[in-house]
Amino acid sequence: MKLKILLPAEVMLEEEVTKVVAEAENGSFCLLPHHTDFTATLAPGIFSFTTASGHEALLAMDTGALVKQGEMVFVSTRNAIRAEDLDRLKQVVETQYQVLDEREKMARSASARL
């Protein structure tokens, strides 16, 4: 299968994969190469995939949509962060949230001054 992850301003990832595991609003699911065509609304959570070389990769993903059509798996999401293991993923997500909190504080402060 070919996995393509789309963010609002860029294509984050385009890679050959043998397995995709994602979290939908009604639970997690797994897609394999000969799985029937499929669509799902993704819930925030862990998204994983296995590359053609057998390496497992992890993403922390915001809400989004997944469409599997033939050999293509398209994922559209507002934000996704990739890491090699859960510990590193947790660190990166926490850092990102701290940056977002600081930006939000600055935006509120600027709004209050206006």
Side-chain angles (χ1 to χ4, degrees):
M1 297 183 296
K2 187 166 194 171
L3 174 64
K4 192 171 192 176
I5 298 179
L6 308 164
L7 300 179
E10 67 179 299
V11 175
M12 177 186 185
L13 175 85
E14 197 166 348
E15 193 162 343
E16 289 291 327
V17 299
T18 58
K19 179 174 142 181
V20 171
V21 178
E23 184 92 16
E25 292 178 341
N26 59 346
S28 63
F29 61 92
C30 175
L31 296 174
L32 297 171
H34 296 292
H35 194 283
T36 188
D37 290 352
F38 184 81
T39 62
T41 302
L42 300 178
I46 303 296
F47 181 94
S48 67
F49 60 92
T50 304
T51 64
S53 63
H55 182 271
E56 186 173 9
L58 300 169
L59 295 149
M61 191 171 288
D62 202 345
T63 58
L66 178 143
V67 176
K68 181 189 183 300
Q69 184 178 18
E71 292 298 312
M72 293 295 299
V73 178
F74 297 97
V75 176
S76 178
T77 184
R78 289 186 292 185
N79 194 15
I81 301 166
R82 185 174 181 170
E84 297 306 314
D85 60 47
L86 284 175
D87 290 335
R88 179 71 181 133
L89 188 61
K90 180 181 177 187
Q91 292 172 352
V92 173
V93 168
E94 287 174 348
T95 301
Q96 289 287 336
Y97 275 112
Q98 288 172 354
V99 169
L100 290 174
D101 284 345
E102 287 301 316
R103 287 182 185 163
E104 187 175 309
K105 287 178 188 175
M106 289 172 41
R108 286 184 185 169
S109 176
S111 289
R113 285 187 296 228
L114 289 173

